[in-house]
Each structure stands twice: as structure tokens, then as C-alpha cells.
């Protein structure tokens, strides 16, 4: 797939995690291509979470997905900015206070997302949440994730400082793709 920015794997079983799930562009094909996989999909914007649920249902994989409609981060919640005047149209950004819309949202941490759902290992995770990656991944639960792919928004050095104790990190740009594989 020429536009598969996350290089979605096949042959996985167990649990995956999709942080910044949007409307299911990763969760849906990941579950369709991996029938032995379950996925926790975290999406902050209620409108997107509704479309995510509808897309999972339309594709017959909703029974293997858990949707968490909260802001990924430390678990305290906060403001999410979105809309045509914001940094990314209709995606959501925790760091940019532009002239778009703002929503005050409850939050979820990595540990909470896994603990509530009884998950003790994530085989594959995608983290693309427009700046929440630092707070979300800075967690004692980080060693439970085998492989993480995603997008870094505010500096790879900061992300490396969080991940390198447990993962080998590749990616050099301060804005762009990264991959981390558990040591």
C-alpha cells in the first residue's frame, strides 16, 4: 500500500492500541487484516469517536474493538482544539490554541487504558495524537508495548528520553515518523 504510513502489520494476535484513532483509518484495516487481534482505540473528539464506532461496525470488527472517547495523556484531561481555523482541520490538537473550536475533555493515561481493559501486553501500537505522545507514553506501563509507530510533534530528543529506557527508537526528525521496538 503506497499510502500506508504506519506499515500496518499482518499476522498479529493479542492486543493493539490506536492512539489518535480519528475515524478508524488504522483501527479498521488493522482488525480486518488480523482476525486474532483486538484493539483499544483512543479518540478524544466525540464526533470522531461516533464515526469510528460506525466504521468499525460497518466493517464487522466492532466486537474486537474498545473505543475510549477521552483525551490521551496523563489522565487529567484538558482542552482539545480543532476545526478549520485550527492546526489540523477536524483532527484535534492539544497544543495549538487557534481560532477553531475547543472542547474540554476527560483524559486517559496509558496505564488506565490498559488496566481498565485487563490488558497486560500490547503487540503493536500507533500513536499519532498531535502532541499528546509525550505525556501518554511517559508511563510505567510503557514496557507493556512491544512495538510503537507514530508521529512526533515537538522534538524527537524529548521522545527518545521517554522511550529509550525500554525501547530502541528510530526516527531523526523533530517533526515526523518514529518507531520504537521494545528491548
Amino acid at each position: 500500500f503506497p499510502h500506508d504510513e504506519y506499515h500496518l502489520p499482518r499476522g498479529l494476535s493479542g492486543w493493539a492500541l490506536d492512539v489518535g484513532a480519528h475515524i478508524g483509518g488504522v483501527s479498521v484495516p488493522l482488525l480486518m487484516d488480523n482476525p486474532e487481534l483486538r484493539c483499544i482505540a483512543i479518540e478524544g473528539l466525540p464526533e470522531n469517536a461516533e464515526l469510528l464506532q460506525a466504521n468499525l461496525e460497518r466493517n464487522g470488527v466492532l466486537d474486537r474493538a474498545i473505543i475510549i472517547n477521552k483525551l490521551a495523556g496523563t489522565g487529567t484531561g484538558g482542552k482539545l482544539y480543532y476545526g478549520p481555523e485550527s492546526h489540523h482541520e477536524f483532527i484535534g490538537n492539544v497544543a495549538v490554541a487557534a481560532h477553531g473550536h475547543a472542547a474540554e475533555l476527560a483524559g486517559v493515561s496509558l496505564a488506565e487504558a490498559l488496566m481498565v481493559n485487563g490488558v497486560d501486553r500490547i503487540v503493536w501500537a500507533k500513536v499519532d495524537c498531535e502532541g499528546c505522545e509525550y505525556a501518554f507514553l511517559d508511563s510505567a506501563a510503557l514496557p507493556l508495548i512491544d512495538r510503537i509507530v507514530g508521529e512526533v510533534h515537538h522534538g524527537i530528543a524529548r521522545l527518545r528520553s521517554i522511550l529509550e529506557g525500554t525501547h530502541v527508537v528510530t526516527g531523526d526528525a523533530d517533526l515526523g515518523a518514529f518507531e520504537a521496538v521494545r528491548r
Side-chain angles (χ1 to χ4, degrees):
F1 301 106
H3 301 291
D4 180 8
E5 107 181 83
Y6 302 111
H7 308 286
L8 299 180
R10 292 184 180 196
L12 295 179
S13 61
W15 284 93
L17 178 64
D18 184 0
V19 182
H22 196 232
I23 63 171
V26 168
S27 298
V28 170
L30 188 64
L31 289 169
M32 289 179 72
D33 288 346
N34 295 280
E36 301 298 316
L37 191 67
R38 296 186 52 131
C39 183
I40 298 171
I42 300 174
E43 174 53 46
L45 286 175
E47 304 94 320
N48 290 349
E50 288 174 19
L51 289 170
L52 169 64
Q53 181 170 339
N55 287 332
L56 289 163
E57 186 171 18
R58 273 187 203 105
N59 287 282
V61 294
L62 181 60
D63 63 324
R64 294 187 288 124
I66 295 171
I67 299 169
I68 299 176
N69 183 203
K70 293 184 177 181
L71 189 63
T74 62
T76 59
K79 263 197 179 145
L80 184 70
Y81 302 94
Y82 66 103
E85 303 285 330
S86 187
H87 185 66
H88 288 292
E89 186 171 353
F90 304 113
I91 292 177
N93 192 297
V94 295
V96 177
H99 296 88
H101 307 286
E104 190 72 37
L105 300 170
V108 65
S109 70
L110 174 58
E112 290 167 338
L114 302 184
M115 181 177 53
V116 167
N117 297 295
V119 176
D120 61 358
R121 180 173 169 232
I122 297 290
V123 296
W124 188 88
K126 183 272 285 180
V127 179
D128 186 355
C129 50
E130 308 308 314
C132 83
E133 60 270 15
Y134 307 99
F136 188 75
L137 293 173
D138 194 2
S139 169
L142 183 61
L144 300 178
I145 305 175
D146 292 346
R147 181 174 174 218
I148 308 165
V149 297
E151 197 173 278
V152 62
H153 293 86
H154 303 292
I156 193 74
R158 182 175 169 200
L159 189 64
R160 281 184 194 280
S161 72
I162 293 167
L163 296 175
E164 284 192 331
T166 55
H167 291 73
V168 175
V169 181
T170 55
D172 295 322
D174 281 338
L175 177 66
F178 77 92
E179 181 174 9
V181 178
R182 190 166 48 104
R183 296 182 188 273

